Amino acid sequence: MAVLEELGGLKYVRLASGRRICYKEQGVRREEAKRQLMVLHGLGSSRLASMPDTLLKAYGVKIVAIDRPGYGRSDCDTEQTFKSSVQDIEEVADALSMGDKFWLLGYSCGGAFCWACARYIPHRLAGVCLWAPAGNYYWKGISDEERSAMWKDLVSSNKFIFGLGRRTPSWILRLYTQHFVRPGSNWFKRLEHTLSAPDRQHLLIYGPDGSLIRDNTESMTWNKGFGMSKDIELLKSDWGFEPEDVAGVYKGPFHIWQGVEDNLIPVGLQRWVKSVVPELVDLYEVPNEGHLSWFCFNSKAHHKVFEALFGEDVQLNEH
């Protein structure tokens, strides 16, 4: 049985396996919450990402943001699979009394694990929201021509991960993330040269200093990039399910938001998903936006997402 722990000002759920998952809470108190939302971060990120408190209070939302295994302060899971990740998420939700059903939000690579939750624990989900989510470019229905079109505008690093990286042994990926990926300012200097124009402009406005750089440093430092290497290993593997399998068991809200100019995750992937499971997915394409520009530091975007996901337009009092 999972138990709650606190150490050095950090909160953890110690799973039945003995591993610890670090988490951060935000928003209204659990007793006052109309909705409880678990947030799954993306590649090179952590539990530290947040949303405006005014928005969370207006919608009665309590957020539980976790460090996924091997990221931030959470323990590594050398045997991690998509199915075991879902078991971790369900165990955390139960330990934190998130109710019979809770909401999920996954950003980028975190979206892949939301897909897995909808496949394996559909009865526990009140609704799912994905921001620029990673998918499986080798889902059975994707033709070689469609895959090539999806990859056409991707940055070279992502082409490697999902292309050549598919045949790269996991131990090489582990060495790469441990010894060659440098968190913090070095990470953002590399991004400045590879991101789409809207994302580069976004970084110029907000800069790599502050919360973004703290989030990335927290993500990569403690476990020396283990979470990233495991993400890459899982993303390029056989996920064990197709979108049609998810549509067959999950019947709740399933919203995908995607920047059209994103060159880390292509809009073509989400359009393909929508075409094969139109009854499952509500797809929102955001013109002239990339992978970061619409989602980060954008309270209006967060409001729009909540309005669509919860089916309720709540007016905010910003004063």
Side-chain angles (χ1 to χ4, degrees):
M1 181 178 178
V3 296
L4 303 182
E5 298 180 351
E6 191 163 345
L7 180 65
L10 300 176
K11 295 180 178 181
Y12 297 90
V13 174
R14 184 174 291 277
L15 306 174
S17 66
R19 288 183 295 106
R20 295 183 308 174
I21 298 293
C22 190
Y23 69 94
K24 184 190 77 171
E25 297 174 295
Q26 189 190 359
V28 302
R29 296 192 310 166
R30 183 178 297 114
E31 309 82 58
E32 302 170 350
K34 293 170 58 179
R35 306 168 177 102
Q36 298 207 53
L37 174 69
M38 188 178 296
V39 177
L40 307 182
H41 62 78
L43 196 78
S45 188
S46 76
R47 71 190 182 284
L48 297 183
S50 63
M51 283 186 172
D53 280 322
T54 53
L55 178 68
L56 299 178
K57 290 177 181 176
Y59 277 90
V61 173
K62 178 178 183 58
I63 279 182
V64 173
I66 67 171
D67 283 338
R68 295 192 286 104
Y71 280 103
R73 308 301 179 100
S74 288
D75 293 336
C76 301
D77 182 3
T78 57
E79 304 300 320
Q80 183 183 3
T81 64
F82 278 110
K83 190 171 286 189
S84 73
S85 300
V86 172
Q87 293 170 348
D88 289 353
I89 288 166
E90 187 173 25
E91 204 170 341
V92 169
D94 288 340
L96 294 175
S97 302
M98 295 186 72
D100 293 336
K101 290 193 173 188
F102 56 95
W103 299 79
L104 264 184
L105 189 155
Y107 187 11
S108 192
C109 287
F113 298 91
C114 292
W115 271 107
C117 286
R119 171 64 183 89
Y120 296 121
I121 55 168
H123 59 288
R124 297 299 309 273
L125 304 182
V128 178
C129 181
L130 308 182
W131 288 356
N136 188 342
Y137 295 98
Y138 290 89
W139 272 324
K140 293 176 182 176
I142 300 179
S143 68
D144 290 341
E145 292 76 14
E146 288 170 323
R147 188 179 304 110
S148 296
M150 293 175 190
W151 288 354
K152 178 172 59 69
D153 296 322
L154 289 184
V155 297
S156 56
S157 58
N158 282 29
K159 288 179 181 178
F160 170 79
I161 290 172
F162 299 115
L164 292 175
R166 187 172 169 83
R167 298 184 292 276
T168 301
S170 297
W171 66 269
I172 293 181
L173 296 174
R174 179 76 187 101
L175 286 175
Y176 172 73
T177 58
Q178 185 174 7
H179 296 290
F180 295 98
V181 177
R182 295 288 180 263
S185 59
N186 290 325
W187 173 271
F188 284 95
K189 285 177 182 177
R190 184 177 66 85
L191 286 182
E192 288 173 355
H193 299 290
T194 59
L195 289 175
S196 65
D199 285 334
R200 292 198 304 271
Q201 182 63 29
H202 191 72
L203 287 181
L204 285 176
I205 295 172
Y206 293 98
D209 297 328
S211 60
L212 278 176
I213 202 165
R214 286 195 302 271
D215 178 45
N216 177 252
T217 301
E218 176 75 3
S219 167
M220 300 289 292
T221 301
W222 294 94
N223 291 301
K224 299 182 178 179
F226 184 93
M228 176 180 285
S229 65
K230 200 66 179 178
D231 268 359
I232 296 171
E233 177 185 334
L234 291 175
L235 288 172
K236 68 187 182 68
S237 70
D238 180 354
W239 287 21
F241 60 87
E242 304 290 320
E244 295 90 337
D245 297 325
V246 176
V249 296
Y250 176 73
K251 306 301 179 183
F254 196 93
H255 292 193
I256 296 178
W257 296 78
Q258 177 70 42
V260 175
E261 302 302 318
D262 191 339
N263 65 354
L264 298 181
I265 303 290
V267 67
L269 173 64
Q270 319 305 350
R271 290 170 178 168
W272 177 85
V273 167
K274 175 65 176 176
S275 73
V276 296
V277 284
E279 74 283 7
L280 171 68
V281 171
D282 287 307
L283 175 60
Y284 302 86
E285 296 187 18
V286 189
N288 306 313
E289 300 289 358
H291 196 71
L292 304 172
S293 59
W294 197 73
F295 302 103
C296 300
F297 308 112
N298 189 346
S299 59
K300 291 182 179 179
H302 300 164
H303 189 182
K304 188 172 291 188
V305 166
F306 275 13
E307 179 184 344
L309 185 64
F310 300 139
E312 184 180 1
D313 183 10
V314 176
Q315 299 302 310
L316 302 184
N317 181 6
E318 303 288 357
H319 303 291

